[in-house]
Amino acid sequence: MTQDTTVCLAELDAHTYAEWLGSGSRTVVVPVGALEQHGPHLPMGTDAILSTAIAEQVATLVGAKVAQPISYGYKSQQKSGGGDHLVGTTSLDAATLVGLTRCLVSSLLEQGVRHVVFLNGHYENYQFLYEGVDLAVRDAGLGAEDEACVLLLSYWDYVSQETLDEVYQGSFPGWDVEHGGVLETALMLHLRPESVWLDRAVDHPPAELPRFDRLPVQPGRTPASGCLSAPRGANAAQGKLLFDQVTADLAADLTAELGSAQAD
Amino acid sequence: MTQDTTVCLAELDAHTYAEWLGSGSRTVVVPVGALEQHGPHLPMGTDAILSTAIAEQVATLVGAKVAQPISYGYKSQQKSGGGDHLVGTTSLDAATLVGLTRCLVSSLLEQGVRHVVFLNGHYENYQFLYEGVDLAVRDAGLGAEDEACVLLLSYWDYVSQETLDEVYQGSFPGWDVEHGGVLETALMLHLRPESVWLDRAVDHPPAELPRFDRLPVQPGRTPASGCLSAPRGANAAQGKLLFDQVTADLAADLTAELGSAQAD
Amino acid sequence: MTQDTTVCLAELDAHTYAEWLGSGSRTVVVPVGALEQHGPHLPMGTDAILSTAIAEQVATLVGAKVAQPISYGYKSQQKSGGGDHLVGTTSLDAATLVGLTRCLVSSLLEQGVRHVVFLNGHYENYQFLYEGVDLAVRDAGLGAEDEACVLLLSYWDYVSQETLDEVYQGSFPGWDVEHGGVLETALMLHLRPESVWLDRAVDHPPAELPRFDRLPVQPGRTPASGCLSAPRGANAAQGKLLFDQVTADLAADLTAELGSAQAD
Amino acid sequence: MTQDTTVCLAELDAHTYAEWLGSGSRTVVVPVGALEQHGPHLPMGTDAILSTAIAEQVATLVGAKVAQPISYGYKSQQKSGGGDHLVGTTSLDAATLVGLTRCLVSSLLEQGVRHVVFLNGHYENYQFLYEGVDLAVRDAGLGAEDEACVLLLSYWDYVSQETLDEVYQGSFPGWDVEHGGVLETALMLHLRPESVWLDRAVDHPPAELPRFDRLPVQPGRTPASGCLSAPRGANAAQGKLLFDQVTADLAADLTAELGSAQAD
Amino acid sequence: MTQDTTVCLAELDAHTYAEWLGSGSRTVVVPVGALEQHGPHLPMGTDAILSTAIAEQVATLVGAKVAQPISYGYKSQQKSGGGDHLVGTTSLDAATLVGLTRCLVSSLLEQGVRHVVFLNGHYENYQFLYEGVDLAVRDAGLGAEDEACVLLLSYWDYVSQETLDEVYQGSFPGWDVEHGGVLETALMLHLRPESVWLDRAVDHPPAELPRFDRLPVQPGRTPASGCLSAPRGANAAQGKLLFDQVTADLAADLTAELGSAQAD
Amino acid sequence: MTQDTTVCLAELDAHTYAEWLGSGSRTVVVPVGALEQHGPHLPMGTDAILSTAIAEQVATLVGAKVAQPISYGYKSQQKSGGGDHLVGTTSLDAATLVGLTRCLVSSLLEQGVRHVVFLNGHYENYQFLYEGVDLAVRDAGLGAEDEACVLLLSYWDYVSQETLDEVYQGSFPGWDVEHGGVLETALMLHLRPESVWLDRAVDHPPAELPRFDRLPVQPGRTPASGCLSAPRGANAAQGKLLFDQVTADLAADLTAELGSAQAD
């Protein structure tokens, strides 16, 4: 991929990037992931792999660029990721993730980026990204009427009801236990099949966790696989459906929300 | 209410409290709320009023005590509380709420409390309470095998499907837009009817907000009432049903989870 | 108490509050307390009970509103509160109390409050409240010539020499050892007699503590009661005298200092 | 002064210091001051000059060493130092002063110092020194029974009633307005007469400041001299009396409190 | 690349990784870079590209694993990176980079990693990585005698005098101005030739910058290219020489320092 | 020294200082040191003694003032100061040193100082001073075109090649191991001969330390003297040469860089 075709900031030289900023196409997407156990059948980098792939496709569709992902995420919680005690889960505390987000927004806005979009792929990150964005937006003195702004979303919020029905056939277990389950496995099978080891997948019913969080975590409540629901039946076709629908809808949303900025 | 009957820590003298701690009944519940606009028909203190009332009833059922509520919460977000720009919404940043939670856990554990339960009543607080608890638990060097532990929950996670069906009759709009809506209004009508002004309530369809968060907030996206769904049809009977079911289930959970501790 | 008569922000709906702010009456008082042992005869919430009661009376006199109290305070120090090691004393560290104060000032000023008054009832809090106020005032870019400002005081600084002579009859032990002593007991007897258990009070001479602080605290230096001076002779009439004089003088001061703001 | 006679850590080589630590004489005093306006007749470094001189004398009496002073202090407050807006007042915020104190305690304890004594000479510092000490003592896991400990004091707390009567002849204005007044001027005349310019001193009554703090500060409330009380009548004999009494009493206290440690 | 052959943690599943940890081969290398302008001929991700490539080769040689790189670095400084004001330079502040490092060390040590090696590729990062490591090592209570430890280095510190002479032929300008110059260009030509655009390179003498840092930066002191020295003459053969020598020496050092751990 | 002749801020009264600021001569130099072991022949305060002496001479030459030194520095690192584990080394963490620097810049700029110059004498401090300066400069909203600015330097960066050749006669070991070696010893012999104990100096070859940092430090790698190179041959004449050349060049640089400011 050449400088002319890549959407990745890290692959561009700074002079080419400066020209692009000057052309009015000034949206940068920051994928956010985690280094987190995802059971025996998915790689630990799954969250950043998926958010980056979605970000690159969306950026291609809307003429944006993609920054290096935030590769490490907030502590895995038992009810959404199995827990932070599991081997392979390598996490940031809240202050660090908030600071990281705040610095990236401030630094990107200062150099002339008009819109920053955080595309989250790790459930536990969201509120800390939000705080980082909020602090940076206040630091910059931005108001509702300013064109510069920051968007923040988790990609699964873009899965439509139609897609959900098609993929899960009525057995959707809820986003919170979709850790290492059908959604992520199907997307990986579509996007990175060489990094899925379905023969290692373990089948088990969705984890039944208490309605409360308990700390320290009781490890026995997390299934031995580390997954909160099994990837049973996940396939690449589902992954393609999910990927195509989510990226199309997200691109449409960005264009609708930031459109005039992109075009001027 | 006398020292013998109150469950409120602030109403006890320290010597009586020390005796109680020595008796083995060592669970303290900390209600968490916010000072946040809740539309024209509910008071700004609604979240702490509700979490405190639930905490007191649960504490009565299980023999626990209730600490002073955390009266101020994390910034209201547009998709769950209308936004932090609204007059009357008086908020803490993440570092402060994390620090507050961490200090309370540390201080309570140091004086001999065995179980601390955070009972949350403001959607946006959860992850910051979690971080505060996690840091304090690490500070204290607690492990999974220790009896001392901290529980964390939002009270609406205890609303059963049966109650939901009964209260909403199939029109449940989702917890995120349940801000100033049927749930909170019904509970307030049951618990504090003198603080509900139904004649001031505004009827409107649930807010339709984007799948992303945008900062700075576009104020026009929040309904003029400040509510994300209307309290239409809310009544005290629903409130009683919600209150009784949630407190009973929560008490049962605490007993099951912490029971031997309570009894020893 | 109705919306028309209450001075408590938490009891108002946001629309009514917004109207009030628009009317030019824009002073909000924040009472500050602690959850701290106060001997066997006073409840642990004494500091917030007293500062809130004083705040409500002053607010009534000057047309201000009262926010929810800061219910937890800075660490109790041996020379002014017996020490942070005592059971029942549940404390915040400096960073948290500073952050809490800073957030409240910023959030209140942003929504249109013109004057914020911190009314402190726990000796150890003062300097941390000051820092929080100073940081928020700098954040807001306020200057000496701006009408918006923040006041900060401890209520005992308003006890006049006449009142002191009348209440103590020449045996005033100093504010620092007035912890669980005559002042607080008398005020509680006037304001909340059902929360004073005089039969449990212990009589002892004022604590004689070193001129230095030592950390870790030597527990044996604090009287077993937890009080630094005894409440001997405290009665409700003294409490009424203290309350009436302090609230009258404080109200007069607020009017003199912030008067034109209140009136415009 | 040679290595054999100096009490100043900064003037010792590390090997000589290590030997001293090994001899059992392990108390280090840290003087604390400020860089703060002290009117036209005293140098801006007055607070550190005085606390260092007192520390050196006390250390000589009890066999302790003196570390480099903390030369910058917490923000000057109008009611005790005239205010932080005055030219020449160069201040630290709370987090920095707390951190500085915490680091010094931790670092000194780690290298084998048994007792650290903070000797404060700037009114506003106290609570922040206290927090830094408390955090470091917790970090170190010290308990009441440990020999290692930290003491904290302001030198004026050691002025006896007899000295006060002698120096002020009944006109003591209170420690809070003793900024640039008789106490500091007399001590400087005794210890550093070449740094006092009495001909530049301004005579005025003690400042009459409100019972509240207001921020931002109203500059007009601080006397033009920057002093809160005038140094009228201050002389070197008073300074000698103050210095000799305070250092003797402080040395006696240290010996009584830490004595066995010094002797072993 | 399969799970059997990859050294990248993000490409492994957690169960395979746990087995590897259990086998005694427990060194994880964390490459550190920056998103920083590197002139018109190198991509902005150069620092992480190089440190990651070196880390992967070293890990292959010694049987270690490589974590996701820290992709963003400390603020570019004018004397070593041209300055943080340049478009494309997207930076973290000190607290964030320290926090990131501290979290990674803590999290990796907790899950059983025995040795963490930070391999730095961005000059400005070093001291902040050091602080993060130091804090985490203290948190973990590690002592000199423990096998667990953390190493920290910048890869150019491994360039031997022989290599330097060979590559620069006597015209080595100093590491500080080696930003976008011969070293980085030669390494990129060897490792990622498709990401070097030599036809865009600008030839100019090494920047002559003052012996002081000035902030705010005077932009005119940085060459228009953004490079502090020109890549004149850089070629892939030099890059191969540098890469082979550095990785071999670094691998030898790791084996010598951590060898018994690797082998047990 | 009188007020008319001293360059030390701490020795001036605030009114005299205010006049000086008003005269347009508005550069303040802040020397930075450490309390750090420097072997058996130099005092622990060496770094601040040297940076202060240089600052005072430079200030005299250019008409600037000198603030109290930052007497404590960042943690000594094994490769540049022997390590933070050595007795006598009393250090600050990064956050504290950054905060201290930030506060001093902010406070000095607010009171009308136009140029702040940090003159560093402890190797490890530099990056943390830089961060503190950068944060304060951003807080103040300064831009490249503003006259107000901050300079930052380590004094050894001003040693010319000629001086180096003269002093070391070709055996210069590198600045990093110049800890307790010829440079510092010679300067001390020139400036403070009574604080150098050459008879206690230990002769040994320069320390050969790994190219990496390891934490926790392996103490055995630091020479027993604590010095990283021996002071063999150091004499006062070298010290005079170093001092005169460095102060002259630094004064010339300040005049060239800040000259118009000094003159107006």
Side-chain angles (χ1 to χ4, degrees), chain C residues 23 64 76 113 122 202 210 222 247:
Chain C
S23 75
S76 177
V113 171
H122 174 64
V202 179
T222 301
T247 52

Side-chain angles (χ1 to χ4, degrees), chain A:
Chain A
M1 190 170 273
T2 71
Q3 285 221 73
D4 296 337
T5 57
T6 186
V7 294
C8 295
L9 279 194
E11 300 292 331
L12 292 177
D13 78 85
H15 294 235
T16 299
Y17 169 61
E19 277 172 40
W20 176 78
L21 277 180
S23 75
S25 300
R26 297 195 270 173
T27 297
V28 169
V29 185
V30 184
V32 194
L35 186 65
E36 186 189 22
Q37 70 79 23
H38 274 74
H41 68 291
L42 288 177
M44 294 189 285
T46 292
D47 290 351
I49 291 170
L50 293 180
S51 59
T52 303
I54 293 169
E56 290 178 356
Q57 174 66 4
V58 169
T60 302
L61 293 172
V62 305
K65 298 296 181 197
V66 178
Q68 288 293 88
I70 297 181
S71 308
Y72 299 94
Y74 182 68
K75 298 163 189 168
S76 177
Q77 293 168 268
Q78 191 169 35
K79 292 170 67 179
S80 46
D84 206 48
H85 60 291
L86 294 167
V87 172
T89 297
T90 306
S91 305
L92 306 182
D93 60 19
T96 299
L97 185 53
V98 168
L100 193 42
T101 309
R102 185 182 195 171
C103 287
L104 292 185
V105 173
S106 295
S107 200
L108 289 168
L109 291 178
E110 275 171 24
Q111 67 197 244
V113 171
R114 199 173 297 172
H115 309 299
V116 183
V117 180
F118 285 90
L119 198 160
N120 181 42
H122 174 62
Y123 196 86
E124 290 87 340
N125 286 338
Y126 200 85
Q127 289 292 79
F128 307 106
L129 298 173
Y130 185 95
E131 172 73 352
V133 170
D134 185 72
L135 294 175
V137 160
R138 289 173 192 244
D139 290 344
L142 293 182
E145 68 292 351
D146 286 308
E147 192 186 349
C149 68
V150 183
L151 304 191
L152 172 58
L153 59 102
S154 293
Y155 71 78
W156 48 81
D157 288 333
Y158 276 82
V159 177
S160 68
Q161 191 58 47
E162 291 71 23
T163 300
L164 214 59
D165 293 344
E166 175 76 16
V167 169
Y168 288 94
Q169 301 287 334
S171 62
F172 176 59
W175 290 126
D176 46 350
V177 294
E178 245 306 346
H179 180 74
V182 167
L183 175 83
E184 294 182 326
T185 305
L187 281 166
M188 287 293 284
L189 283 168
H190 172 55
L191 295 164
R192 287 271 295 264
E194 73 279 16
S195 296
V196 186
W197 308 281
L198 273 186
D199 56 326
R200 295 174 56 89
V202 179
D203 197 19
H204 55 70
E208 296 200 13
L209 292 161
R211 283 163 291 190
F212 51 79
D213 269 301
R214 176 176 175 157
L215 286 169
V217 157
Q218 299 292 300
R221 287 176 171 158
T222 301
S225 71
C227 300
L228 296 185
S229 58
R232 184 183 345 183
N235 59 52
Q238 294 165 334
K240 183 174 189 322
L241 174 64
L242 284 159
F243 183 76
D244 290 349
Q245 182 258 308
V246 162
T247 53
D249 282 12
L250 183 40
D253 250 27
L254 294 192
T255 300
E257 185 75 10
L258 312 172
S260 60
Q262 299 300 99
D264 99 346

Side-chain angles (χ1 to χ4, degrees), chain C:
Chain C
M1 191 170 273
T2 70
Q3 284 221 73
D4 297 337
T5 57
T6 185
V7 294
C8 296
L9 278 195
E11 301 291 331
L12 291 178
D13 78 85
H15 294 235
T16 299
Y17 169 62
E19 278 171 39
W20 176 78
L21 278 180
S23 75
S25 299
R26 297 195 270 174
T27 295
V28 169
V29 185
V30 184
V32 194
L35 185 65
E36 187 189 21
Q37 70 79 23
H38 274 74
H41 67 293
L42 288 178
M44 294 189 285
T46 291
D47 290 351
I49 291 170
L50 293 180
S51 59
T52 302
I54 293 169
E56 289 178 356
Q57 174 67 3
V58 170
T60 301
L61 293 171
V62 306
K65 298 294 181 197
V66 179
Q68 289 292 88
I70 297 182
S71 309
Y72 299 95
Y74 182 67
K75 299 162 189 169
S76 177
Q77 292 168 269
Q78 190 169 36
K79 292 170 67 179
S80 45
D84 206 48
H85 60 291
L86 293 166
V87 172
T89 296
T90 307
S91 306
L92 306 183
D93 60 19
T96 298
L97 185 53
V98 169
L100 192 43
T101 309
R102 184 183 197 172
C103 287
L104 292 185
V105 174
S106 295
S107 199
L108 289 167
L109 291 178
E110 275 171 25
Q111 67 197 246
V113 171
R114 200 173 295 174
H115 309 299
V116 184
V117 179
F118 286 90
L119 198 161
N120 180 41
H122 174 64
Y123 196 85
E124 290 87 340
N125 287 338
Y126 199 86
Q127 290 293 79
F128 308 106
L129 298 173
Y130 185 94
E131 171 72 352
V133 170
D134 185 71
L135 294 175
V137 161
R138 289 173 192 243
D139 290 343
L142 294 182
E145 68 292 352
D146 286 307
E147 192 186 350
C149 68
V150 184
L151 304 190
L152 172 58
L153 58 101
S154 294
Y155 72 78
W156 48 82
D157 287 334
Y158 275 82
V159 177
S160 68
Q161 191 58 48
E162 292 72 22
T163 301
L164 215 57
D165 293 344
E166 175 75 16
V167 168
Y168 288 93
Q169 302 287 334
S171 63
F172 176 58
W175 290 126
D176 45 350
V177 294
E178 244 306 347
H179 180 75
V182 167
L183 174 83
E184 294 182 326
T185 307
L187 280 167
M188 287 293 284
L189 283 168
H190 171 56
L191 295 164
R192 286 272 294 264
E194 73 277 17
S195 297
V196 186
W197 309 279
L198 273 186
D199 56 327
R200 294 174 56 88
V202 179
D203 196 19
H204 56 70
E208 296 201 13
L209 292 160
R211 283 164 291 190
F212 51 80
D213 269 301
R214 175 177 175 156
L215 286 169
V217 157
Q218 299 292 299
R221 288 175 171 158
T222 301
S225 71
C227 300
L228 296 186
S229 58
R232 184 183 347 182
N235 59 53
Q238 294 165 334
K240 181 172 189 326
L241 174 63
L242 283 158
F243 184 75
D244 290 349
Q245 182 259 308
V246 163
T247 52
D249 281 12
L250 183 40
D253 250 27
L254 293 193
T255 299
E257 185 76 9
L258 312 171
S260 61
Q262 298 301 98
D264 98 347

Side-chain angles (χ1 to χ4, degrees), chain B residues 54-135:
Chain B
I54 293 169
E56 290 179 355
Q57 173 67 5
V58 169
T60 301
L61 293 171
V62 304
K65 299 295 181 198
V66 179
Q68 288 293 88
I70 298 182
S71 309
Y72 298 95
Y74 182 68
K75 298 162 190 168
S76 176
Q77 293 169 269
Q78 191 169 35
K79 292 170 68 179
S80 45
D84 207 48
H85 60 291
L86 293 167
V87 172
T89 297
T90 306
S91 306
L92 306 182
D93 61 18
T96 298
L97 184 53
V98 169
L100 192 43
T101 309
R102 185 182 195 170
C103 287
L104 292 184
V105 173
S106 295
S107 200
L108 289 167
L109 291 179
E110 275 171 25
Q111 67 196 247
V113 171
R114 199 173 296 172
H115 309 299
V116 184
V117 180
F118 285 90
L119 198 161
N120 180 41
H122 175 62
Y123 196 87
E124 290 86 340
N125 287 337
Y126 200 85
Q127 289 293 79
F128 307 106
L129 298 173
Y130 184 94
E131 171 72 353
V133 170
D134 185 72
L135 294 175

Side-chain angles (χ1 to χ4, degrees), chain F residues 212-233:
Chain F
F212 51 80
D213 270 301
R214 176 177 175 157
L215 286 169
V217 157
Q218 298 292 299
R221 287 176 171 157
T222 301
S225 71
C227 301
L228 296 185
S229 58
R232 185 185 343 183

Side-chain angles (χ1 to χ4, degrees), chain D residues 23-48:
Chain D
S23 74
S25 300
R26 298 195 270 174
T27 297
V28 169
V29 185
V30 185
V32 194
L35 185 65
E36 186 189 23
Q37 70 79 24
H38 275 74
H41 68 293
L42 288 177
M44 294 189 285
T46 291
D47 290 350

